Every structure is written in C-alpha cells, then in structure tokens.
Amino acid sequence: MSEAIKHECGIAMVRLLKPLQYYKDKYGTAFYGLNKMYLLMEKQHNRGQDGAGLASIKFDVTPGTRYISRIRSNDDQPIQDIFAQINGRLNKLNEDFPNKINDVEWQNKNAPYLGNLFLGHVRYGTFGKNSIESVHPFLRQSNWMHKSLIVAGNFNMTNSPKLFNDLIEIGQHPKEMTDTVTVMEKIGHFIDDEVASLYKKIKEEGINKKEASPLIEKRINIKKILKKSAKNWDGGYAMAGLLGHGDAFVLRDPAGIRPAFYYVDDEVVVVASERPVIQTVFNVAIKDVKEIDRGHALIIKRNGHISMDKIREQLPQKSCSFERIYFSRGSDADIYTERKNLGKFVFPQVLEKINKDIKNTVFSFIPNTAETSFFGMREAAEDFLNLQKAKIILKGQRSLSVEKVKEILAERPRIEKLAIKDAKLRTFIADDNSRNDLVAHIYDVTYGIVKSTDNLVIIDDSIVRGTTLKQSIIKILDRLNPKKIVIVSSAPQIRYPDCYGIDMAKLGDFIAFRAALALLQETQQNDIVEQVYKNCKQQQLLEDFEITNAVVKIYEPFTTEQISDKIAEMLKTPTINAEIEIVYQSVENLHKAIPNHLGDWYFTGDYPTPGGNRVVNDAFINFYEGSNKRAY
C-alpha cells in the first residue's frame, strides 16, 4: 500500500516421507528438504521482513547426536542471513571432510540442519521489540524427545492475558506474557500430561523406562493434546508445531481467519501460508494444493501417517479479506481475479466522480500492489467506452465516414504510469517541517501528460491512515495541475481495529474514524461519543461472549459517501489547487469480488470471535482516555 501496514506472518513446513538417501539418488542431494525450505520462505518474504527462523529435526539418530537444529535472524535481510549461515557451516564441513560429501549416513549424523522435518517462519512484528527472542520458531527443550516442542505461527490471540493466567492457575511460571510463549507453554503442558499418562499405562504393562520412550512416541495423541490446548484460544491462527521425535501438526482457527495450504504426495508433505508458493516451489497444479480445514489440524505422525482432525467446532467462515486485497501475493489464480474485480466493481462510482468524462481523464495506480485492481478498473473503463462507441456508430448509421468511424474506434481510456516510488528517504534532520518536506518527495511523478482540464484517477489498495496521501501523494500529483484528483480505494473504509494479526490496532489512526468524529462535532452530536465511551466501560467486566461492539454507533448517523467526502476535505491542504474526491469500495461489492473470504470486521465491525468485540471497545476506551496503547 502507499501507506504500509504490517501483517504477521508466514509459515512453511516440509516433511520428507522417504529416507534421505532417496533424495540424494533422485535429486542429487540429501539437502533437498533444506533447499525447498529456502524457496518456500523466500517466496513468502512479502509476509515478513522483520525476522526469519528455521528449525529442523533429524530422524533415527543415536543418543548424544544433536537432532534439533534451529537458527533465527532479525537482520535486515533475515532469510538470506540464516541460509548464508547454514551454507557457511555446511561448506566448511565439506571442506574439512571432502570424502564424506556423498555419505548420506555420515552427513545425517554430523551436518547441522540436514533433517527429515523442517519448520520455517517469516515475521512482521506488529508490536513489541523486534529482538531475536521474538523471532519464531520458539523452542521448548527437554531431554525426552517426545517432550521437546518447536512452535511457529501466523496468529494473534485476543485473550492472551486470560491464557497467561490459565497457565499460572495450573502452577506454571511463564517467562513472559507474549501469546507465542503462552500458546507454546499451553501445548507443552498438555504434552507433559499426555506423556505422564502414557508412561503410567506402559509401566503397568511391565515395560522399563528405556523401552517406554519409543512406545510413548508411537502412542502420543496429538489430536487430544491440541483439543485441550486450544480449548480457550480466541484469535486468528495457523499454528505449526514439531515434537522432537518427529510428530508434526498445523492447526487452523475455527473461523479460518488466517490462511494455511498443504500439498501431499508420496515424497513430501508441504504446508505454507500461500497456495502459489507451494505450486511454484514444487511445480504442482492448483487442484493439488488444498486448504487446511478451519478448526482442524493437519497431523503428520512420525511413521508418516497423515490425517486432518477436527480440533475445534467450526465458526462461520470469515477468512481474512485483506489477505486477498493486499497481503498475499497476487500470483494466486483466484486472488488475481478477485483483485481485478475489485477495480472493476468500484468503477461506476469513479464514473460518477468524473461525470462520465473518459476523454479528459487519466487513470493510474499507486503502489505496485494496486496494479491488478487497476487492470480491472481499466477493463471497466474500456467496456464503458466501447458501449459509448457502439451507440454513436449505431446512431450515425450510414452518415458516418470511414475516417470518422476510425476516429471513434481509436478512442480509448488514457492509461499512464504517473507516480513512481523513490528509494526510501532517510534523514538525520529532527525538525518536523524539514522531515515533512522530505516525506512529500517519496514519490516522483511523470510530467507533461496531464492537462489542466483533466481529471486524474489514482487507485490504491486501501486508505488506512491518510498520512502518506496528505503529506506526499496528493501534493506531488497536484504539481501536474489537474482539474480534479480522484483517489480510489479498492477496499472499503477501515473503521475498526484488527486483532488477528494485522497492524491496525488504534482507532485514532484511522482517517475514517477521525472523519466520523469531525462530522459528529459539526452536526452537534458529540453526545454519541460520550455514550459510546460509557457503553464500552459498562461492558468491561462482562465475559467476551456477552460483549457487543459499541463503536458502531459512531458511524451510524452518516452515509459512507458523507464520510468519504469528509475524508477528502481533511486531505486537501490549503496549498492544493485541484479538487479532491475520495472513492471507497462498497462492502457489498467487496463480498461480490471476494465471495469466499468474508472476513470484513475492519470494515463492518462484525468480528468473527467474541474477543474481537472486547478489543474494539477497549480500543475506543484507550482513544477516549488518551492512552496511546494497544487494546490487545
């Protein structure tokens, strides 16, 4: 987006189903799994550039041999950093033992990161310090393989404090109150319970401790552990975990908020946050990549048995629509079509704003991720223009000359590349005015194309805060001297905070919220703000399932168009000469364009889990009380 918002995160898992020698013989390397992990993570670097981590587990190693390897980085280029370190160690091993390059058994025993099971993670830190301790995968180590746990996820829990207190109630002393640690310790607790129960039963069978371990590994019930662990989770999540002996799982939330896809053949099981990533890396057809069912876990046992097990009762499907609008790569066949439709469906509103004057309108887009929506808008403009041409030709019948028909047919929408993002400007200047002047130059524009009689239509993925528009984009576009600038959002107005993994946590940041407040003041309805605050405070002691979203009342007195007009007014500074118009996608057309991903709580306030209503109310309390903190 022209004003970036962050999202956490991306996961990748590879489970090799054949012995390592098989991959050496077929693909020329025992490091086949590691190479695929690099590609899976690199193809998902759009999902997280604050940190990256990788963990691997070796099978069939003797006691005293390291069987878990983990590496994490919060470097500027974390994926490249971790694989550079891995390759450095492997190359050093090859230099020291050149005669062992083709000895898979020796490599398995001595080479770090060679393994049968891999878990990778790319991270956007939505809050907190971007320290190495915050980078996934997380590790809960034990001398018992079946108690060692590696966890990584794309998730956020709305009720982390409650989950933290649950751990205290069962006697634990968690080292911190992050939801990752809380989730890992919750799973770890029930692993410990399961292992203790199994050991007791096995001991009653007359089997000694040494012989008990492999039996525990075979009998450990991952489905049972996950059911107990996830019982009280409220949030959006795609949670991946590895147990030290080789069991693995990926659990998806009951509403399907966070994405997770998988592919299985006789050689490998693969999981990733995005479908085309798997298609590209493993060269497989779209029909062969499946979605993990919401509320279910894909469980891969050490013996290679694969199952899709129900863990939580499913909620109505509310897959995140922002995944489709912006976050996921547009190389997915369905996402590409959906984004084109977003541009196509918003075009009638654009047509109204330019008084159907295609001839004197220039169309463009900001940023590159909005290009696909722009294609859809362009096609809609072409369809409109073709209809106009047909009417003129039919009306003229035989009175039109060949030259005139050619002239009519030659008319087309004026499509131009107008705004180009420059390299990110950095400054040591502390003065705010100087800094704002630099921000205004984030984008360069193409001069000599736009006339003073032209409308300028620019489509963006979304307008969240409006800061970049006001400080940079509108200022630089106004230099082209257009009659009117129409900023088009392919997404609806963002009115409510997200609490499932997107970095949109504070109500005061949203320009739609600020516009609604300004309208309330202008229309002398400020009492609504006070009423909403009181309602939010009154609900604070209720259970999550009893809470309703009180903040919807802020927007009720006004139409979407009134709020859009107010936003346009707020974005137009005294130095801007052009008329400014703002067009947002409607929620109805959003659902029409993206029919299978109906998660729209940031637009409508319709949260898919009970915890969402608590978060939005707490966010309003924070805003009203002037507390600049998150509500979760």
Side-chain angles (χ1 to χ4, degrees), residues 85-365:
Q85 291 185 54
I86 291 169
N87 289 334
R89 292 189 63 181
L90 296 178
N91 290 336
K92 181 68 166 60
L93 205 64
N94 287 338
E95 290 172 8
D96 294 345
F97 303 95
N99 60 324
K100 298 294 186 182
I101 289 176
N102 294 312
D103 189 338
V104 174
E105 186 177 344
W106 183 89
Q107 286 180 327
N108 189 41
K109 184 176 180 180
N110 293 279
Y113 308 106
L114 179 65
N116 308 78
L117 180 57
F118 302 87
L119 177 59
H121 189 266
V122 289
R123 175 181 187 266
Y124 262 141
T126 54
F127 63 96
K129 295 179 181 177
N130 188 31
S131 63
I132 195 68
E133 289 80 15
S134 300
V135 179
H136 300 202
F138 278 44
L139 174 62
R140 187 181 193 259
Q141 240 172 335
S142 171
N143 281 338
W144 282 269
M145 294 175 81
H146 42 258
K147 286 188 175 184
S148 292
L149 175 65
I150 302 166
V151 169
N154 169 20
F155 72 102
N156 196 79
M157 300 298 175
T158 69
N159 61 339
S160 290
K162 183 180 186 306
L163 298 176
F164 179 81
N165 289 331
D166 288 347
L167 291 176
I168 295 173
E169 289 299 316
I170 60 177
Q172 288 197 15
H173 188 95
K175 63 180 181 180
E176 53 185 296
M177 201 174 73
T178 63
D179 48 9
T180 309
V181 169
T182 304
V183 163
M184 182 176 66
E185 292 301 335
K186 191 88 167 180
I187 298 170
H189 168 74
F190 287 109
I191 288 175
D192 292 346
D193 270 5
E194 173 77 354
V195 169
S197 176
L198 286 172
Y199 176 68
K200 183 178 179 181
K201 291 176 183 176
I202 291 170
K203 185 178 178 183
E204 290 172 356
E205 296 172 17
I207 297 169
N208 64 40
K209 291 181 179 179
K210 183 178 179 181
E211 294 171 337
S213 281
L215 289 176
I216 290 172
E217 292 168 8
K218 288 179 182 178
R219 298 182 189 180
I220 194 166
N221 189 329
I222 302 300
K223 176 182 177 181
K224 180 181 174 183
I225 290 167
L226 292 177
K227 276 193 164 188
K228 291 181 177 179
S229 302
K231 183 180 179 181
N232 296 321
W233 292 358
D234 187 295
Y237 50 87
M239 190 74 60
L242 316 179
L243 275 67
H245 66 275
D247 284 357
F249 65 86
V250 180
L251 171 61
R252 197 170 178 211
D253 67 83
I257 296 170
R258 298 271 69 91
F261 296 86
Y262 73 100
Y263 166 75
V264 179
D265 62 21
D266 62 342
E267 294 182 351
V268 69
V269 182
V270 189
V271 178
S273 293
E274 298 189 21
R275 179 171 63 181
V277 171
I278 299 176
Q279 288 181 251
T280 299
V281 173
F282 288 87
N283 190 27
V284 296
I286 189 171
K287 65 181 176 59
D288 295 323
V289 182
K290 312 294 184 185
E291 237 181 317
I292 294 177
D293 297 337
R294 67 189 191 279
H296 285 63
L298 178 72
I299 297 175
I300 311 150
K301 291 293 291 180
R302 167 65 179 82
N303 63 9
H305 180 265
I306 302 161
S307 62
M308 183 73 70
D309 294 288
K310 180 180 175 182
I311 306 300
R312 298 277 307 273
E313 288 296 327
Q314 291 184 331
L315 295 172
Q317 184 164 340
K318 294 289 184 179
S319 302
C320 175
S321 59
F322 246 121
E323 284 283 353
R324 319 297 283 188
I325 296 167
Y326 173 69
F327 293 121
S328 293
R329 288 193 175 196
S331 53
D332 183 278
D334 291 342
I335 291 176
Y336 185 81
T337 300
E338 290 163 2
R339 289 182 182 175
K340 281 188 73 174
N341 283 336
L342 287 171
K344 187 179 296 184
F345 295 160
V346 80
F347 181 71
Q349 294 172 253
V350 175
L351 207 53
E352 287 183 19
K353 295 296 184 183
I354 62 172
N355 295 317
K356 299 183 180 180
D357 185 5
I358 297 284
K359 185 176 182 179
N360 293 302
T361 300
V362 177
F363 297 89
S364 195
F365 60 91

Side-chain angles (χ1 to χ4, degrees), residues 281-553:
V281 173
F282 288 87
N283 190 27
V284 296
I286 189 171
K287 65 181 176 59
D288 295 323
V289 182
K290 312 294 184 185
E291 237 181 317
I292 294 177
D293 297 337
R294 67 189 191 279
H296 285 63
L298 178 72
I299 297 175
I300 311 150
K301 291 293 291 180
R302 167 65 179 82
N303 63 9
H305 180 265
I306 302 161
S307 62
M308 183 73 70
D309 294 288
K310 180 180 175 182
I311 306 300
R312 298 277 307 273
E313 288 296 327
Q314 291 184 331
L315 295 172
Q317 184 164 340
K318 294 289 184 179
S319 302
C320 175
S321 59
F322 246 121
E323 284 283 353
R324 319 297 283 188
I325 296 167
Y326 173 69
F327 293 121
S328 293
R329 288 193 175 196
S331 53
D332 183 278
D334 291 342
I335 291 176
Y336 185 81
T337 300
E338 290 163 2
R339 289 182 182 175
K340 281 188 73 174
N341 283 336
L342 287 171
K344 187 179 296 184
F345 295 160
V346 80
F347 181 71
Q349 294 172 253
V350 175
L351 207 53
E352 287 183 19
K353 295 296 184 183
I354 62 172
N355 295 317
K356 299 183 180 180
D357 185 5
I358 297 284
K359 185 176 182 179
N360 293 302
T361 300
V362 177
F363 297 89
S364 195
F365 60 91
I366 297 177
N368 288 341
T369 50
E371 187 173 11
T372 308
S373 296
F374 174 72
F375 289 158
M377 187 171 71
R378 182 185 69 185
E379 287 181 9
E382 289 171 348
D383 290 343
F384 172 78
L385 203 53
N386 287 337
L387 185 62
Q388 298 299 103
K389 293 176 188 178
K391 287 179 179 178
I392 294 170
I393 292 171
L394 289 172
K395 185 178 179 180
Q397 295 182 348
R398 296 182 182 180
S399 64
L400 294 174
S401 66
V402 172
E403 289 74 19
K404 185 61 178 178
V405 171
K406 284 182 178 179
E407 180 186 330
I408 293 168
L409 292 177
E411 187 177 352
R412 57 179 56 88
R414 295 166 61 192
I415 307 301
E416 305 291 353
K417 179 79 172 180
L418 286 182
I420 304 135
K421 192 168 187 178
D422 202 350
K424 188 175 182 181
L425 296 171
R426 299 179 184 275
T427 175
F428 56 86
I429 300 172
D431 174 64
D432 286 341
N433 291 329
S434 300
R435 187 180 299 276
N436 289 340
D437 182 58
L438 286 172
V439 169
H441 291 81
I442 289 174
Y443 287 88
D444 290 333
V445 287
T446 307
Y447 292 94
I449 294 172
V450 179
K451 304 189 298 291
S452 60
T453 53
D454 284 338
N455 304 303
L456 185 51
V457 174
I458 301 286
I459 191 168
D460 196 352
D461 305 287
S462 183
I463 303 167
V464 186
R465 303 174 185 91
T467 308
T468 307
L469 276 176
K470 186 171 185 175
Q471 294 183 356
S472 176
I473 294 173
I474 291 176
K475 283 184 178 180
I476 202 80
L477 291 176
D478 192 57
R479 293 183 181 186
L480 301 176
N481 196 32
K483 177 180 68 175
K484 178 188 288 188
I485 299 172
V486 183
I487 304 293
V488 184
S489 169
S490 67
Q493 294 171 359
I494 295 174
R495 299 180 170 194
Y496 306 94
D498 183 76
C499 52
Y500 305 115
I502 301 174
D503 187 21
M504 300 189 301
K506 301 171 185 175
L507 273 170
D509 288 346
F510 305 148
I511 193 164
F513 178 74
R514 300 199 304 274
L517 291 181
L519 287 171
L520 287 173
Q521 177 142 2
E522 288 175 11
T523 56
Q524 298 183 345
Q525 297 184 79
N526 266 339
D527 58 309
I528 290 176
V529 178
E530 183 70 25
Q531 291 166 12
V532 169
Y533 173 68
K534 288 179 179 177
N535 193 350
C536 291
K537 292 292 284 186
Q538 288 167 357
Q539 295 188 72
Q540 275 190 306
L541 297 179
L542 299 179
E543 294 294 329
D544 284 356
F545 68 88
E546 299 176 298
I547 297 175
T548 60
N549 182 348
V551 184
V552 293
K553 296 292 184 182

